[in-house]
Amino acid sequence: MNHYLDDTQKSKRLYERAKHVFPAGVAYFVRHMEPYPFYTVKAKGSKLVDVDGNEYIDFWMGHFALILGHSPPTIMKQVKRQIEKGTHYGTCHELEITLAEQAAKMVPSAEMVRFTNSGTEAVMYTIRLARSYTKREKIAKLEGGWHGGYDALHVAVKPPLNLAQSSGLTEGAMKDTVVLPFNDINRVEKAMRREKFAAVVVEPVLGAGGCIPAEKEFLKALRELCSENGALLVFDEVITGFRLATGGAQQFFNVLPDLTVLGKILGGGFPVGAITGPREIMEFMDPLLYERPKFSFHGGTFCANPVTMTAGLAMLRALENGEIISRLNRRGDKMRQELADVFERRSLSVQVVGVGSLFHTHFTDEEIKDVHAVFRADREKLRQYHMYLTANGVFLLTAKMGALSAAHNEQDVDKLLSETENFTKELRRCY
Ligand SMILES: Cc1ncc(COP(=O)(O)O)c(C=O)c1O
């Protein structure tokens, strides 16, 4: 750990500067780390290089957006060409149609598409659309689900779940949101008997909530309950879209939602979000068909800008035949097992969780089925583990899950395993 301080002196100075202009010294608190973050100057393939010249194998991968790794040549070439032709037309252009067609071809439940600039925006407009379509106000979300900072969904993310996740959320914004337990269909069923919902929003794999896949039976039953209730089932596939399968979690679990929210990978490394679903629902965003007050607004200055569309198209075309995703999923299965073996050899109670190319470790002997178990685990040990890895050239954002990308090679994974092994030796010495 001490050598992190020795090796990152320029980062330390940048952090001192940053503290004057950013609350908490960072542009987004999720990127905060102790004692201070390193500052990146270059990213290529599986590696980040910081301002002091240190190299890190990156398993955070741009908030899981970069499934091909940093700056993949296939995307970079096309983006550079597009930039020469314009970065932001503010008019209609062919690329937006082509990317929407490509997304609709790959995502089973997607017939029509609208682009946004972030996952948060896409979720926000999806909720509005669901309310417009169903003419209901109440919505439901699952415990531990993270859907971005939109008021109505910024509840019950991290325990204690009954404590506001942020100040500034009004009672008015909260009163129409009901929180349902994750992976507990009996309790969900009871709650759904009591209310009529416009939408039930779920991450098929809890991301920020601990990298916990929904049980397939849970998702299937949730699908049925939503149909009975008349609620739209919304999959937030901002992380799982184009990662678990070419058609995302809905293809992987074989459960179709009514509406799907996309983001991250879809942008090919540029800011993006998308709302997708069947024509019957999506057309509520068409003011030529639905006049006020029925019309459901969506829009934004940079929506479908040609740079994001170019990058996204190159990304989806690279993933379309499924080879990269299948390979990553197989590697993920193997790597989670190998990580679990490392902890087991030292008789440490650690749950290695995840699915496909996503992984996480929780320091507990309890089976991890929901966010409560994640927060009952030893979070301090997890923080020490991730700090140890970072100080030794393997970057996982503190206490967050990790993701494999196509740019990671065997040596990168071996380094994660060997540094984990080294950490477990230190841990044994200290405890
Ligand atoms: C599942 C999920 N939904 C929505 C969001 C919000 O997306 P963005 O950060 O692009 O606004 C995130 C971001 O991490 C996410 O993980």
Side-chain angles (χ1 to χ4, degrees):
M1 181 61 222
N2 285 339
H3 66 92
Y4 181 80
L5 304 180
D6 295 338
D7 296 346
T8 56
Q9 283 302 301
K10 285 186 183 161
S11 280
K12 185 168 187 253
R13 286 198 289 277
L14 285 177
Y15 182 59
E16 292 305 322
R17 257 176 72 196
K19 281 196 288 190
H20 292 285
V21 283
F22 296 131
V26 284
Y28 181 5
F29 191 71
V30 79
R31 296 180 192 154
H32 177 266
M33 59 189 256
E34 295 289 345
Y36 49 82
F38 62 84
Y39 285 76
T40 302
V41 289
K42 205 165 59 182
K44 183 87 191 127
S46 62
K47 311 280 189 331
L48 293 169
V49 178
D50 75 12
V51 67
D52 291 281
N54 303 299
E55 197 174 83
Y56 304 84
I57 299 163
D58 181 15
F59 288 102
W60 170 236
M61 275 295 158
H63 301 227
F64 320 118
L66 307 174
I67 197 169
L68 298 181
H70 291 279
S71 323
T74 42
I75 297 181
M76 296 309 285
K77 212 166 70 198
Q78 296 185 48
V79 166
K80 280 181 191 161
R81 222 181 283 150
Q82 178 56 46
I83 285 172
E84 292 294 324
K85 293 191 260 180
T87 59
H88 176 41
Y89 299 145
T91 63
C92 300
H93 57 98
E94 187 174 348
L95 283 164
E96 66 191 13
I97 309 172
T98 315
L99 181 59
E101 286 168 346
Q102 184 69 35
K105 190 166 138 200
M106 291 170 75
V107 179
S109 68
E111 187 182 357
M112 299 185 99
V113 179
R114 273 293 179 93
F115 293 108
T116 63
N117 299 297
S118 70
T120 303
E121 276 174 80
V123 170
M124 177 180 85
Y125 285 123
T126 299
I127 296 300
R128 180 180 293 184
L129 176 64
R131 286 175 166 151
S132 304
Y133 178 77
T134 59
K135 300 174 185 60
R136 296 176 179 178
E137 296 199 347
K138 285 235 175 321
I139 57 167
K141 78 168 293 272
L142 281 289
E143 288 179 346
W146 169 243
H147 306 287
Y150 168 51
D151 286 9
L153 287 168
H154 201 171
V155 283
V157 181
K158 277 186 198 169
L161 298 185
N162 57 357
L163 190 65
Q165 302 288 323
S166 167
S167 62
L169 303 173
T170 63
E171 259 178 55
M174 303 285 97
K175 75 175 175 33
D176 289 322
T177 304
V178 171
V179 178
L180 305 174
F182 188 73
N183 273 341
D184 183 345
I185 203 64
N186 293 331
R187 283 173 57 214
V188 168
E189 189 174 359
K190 274 188 203 136
M192 287 189 69
R193 267 200 231 111
R194 284 195 293 270
E195 299 276 4
K196 295 276 183 213
F197 295 114
V200 176
V201 187
V202 60
E203 276 184 277
V205 179
L206 285 186
C211 195
I212 311 169
E215 288 159 5
K216 187 173 173 172
E217 291 313 310
F218 177 79
L219 286 181
K220 276 191 170 163
L222 193 61
R223 168 68 280 177
E224 281 171 24
L225 287 173
C226 283
S227 300
E228 284 164 24
N229 186 288
L232 298 182
L233 177 61
V234 177
F235 275 6
D236 180 343
E237 295 230 42
V238 168
I239 291 176
T240 53
F242 313 108
R243 176 173 288 280
L244 283 197
T246 51
Q250 54 200 268
Q251 184 185 338
F252 187 85
F253 291 110
N254 196 22
V255 177
L256 288 195
D258 298 298
L259 294 172
T260 302
V261 184
L262 299 166
K264 300 199 194 269
I265 291 175
L266 174 68
F270 290 81
V272 84
I275 309 147
T276 71
R279 173 178 292 275
E280 184 192 340
I281 304 173
M282 295 290 286
E283 276 188 342
F284 272 77
M285 290 188 281
D286 177 352
L288 302 175
L289 282 179
Y290 292 96
E291 289 182 355
R292 283 161 64 192
K294 288 186 177 167
F295 159 63
S296 195
F297 176 82
H298 148 267
T301 300
F302 290 102
C303 288
N305 75 77
V307 177
T308 298
M309 298 296 105
T310 299
L313 196 54
M315 175 69 98
L316 295 203
R317 283 180 175 158
L319 298 173
E320 189 178 5
N321 70 13
E323 278 173 26
I324 290 173
I325 293 174
S326 303
R327 182 156 40 87
L328 287 179
N329 286 356
R330 281 196 302 276
R331 276 176 136 199
D333 289 343
K334 183 163 172 275
M335 196 188 80
R336 279 188 300 276
Q337 187 55 55
E338 287 168 341
L339 265 177
D341 291 345
V342 170
F343 291 112
E344 208 173 308
R345 276 201 293 280
R346 303 267 162 202
S347 306
L348 289 165
S349 298
V350 178
Q351 306 295 314
V352 179
V353 299
V355 61
S357 48
L358 300 168
F359 64 98
H360 207 337
T361 44
H362 300 293
F363 289 77
T364 174
D365 54 10
E366 181 183 355
E367 191 188 356
I368 300 284
K369 289 180 82 170
D370 58 26
V371 72
H372 300 286
V374 167
F375 278 76
R376 277 193 295 265
D378 189 337
R379 305 280 296 170
E380 176 52 25
K381 227 174 258 176
L382 175 62
R383 199 189 62 73
Q384 287 170 10
Y385 170 46
H386 285 175
M387 260 322 295
Y388 180 93
L389 290 179
T390 300
N392 290 287
V394 179
F395 180 56
L396 275 145
L397 200 69
T398 312
K400 301 290 173 200
M401 68 179 179
L404 284 170
S405 78
H408 290 109
N409 59 25
E410 291 300 322
Q411 289 94 303
D412 293 334
V413 174
D414 286 349
K415 170 93 172 153
L416 169 68
L417 294 170
S418 63
E419 292 301 346
T420 299
E421 179 104 47
N422 292 340
F423 174 73
T424 63
K425 284 181 202 160
E426 292 242 329
L427 212 56
R428 272 276 164 250
R429 265 202 295 276
C430 300
Y431 288 90

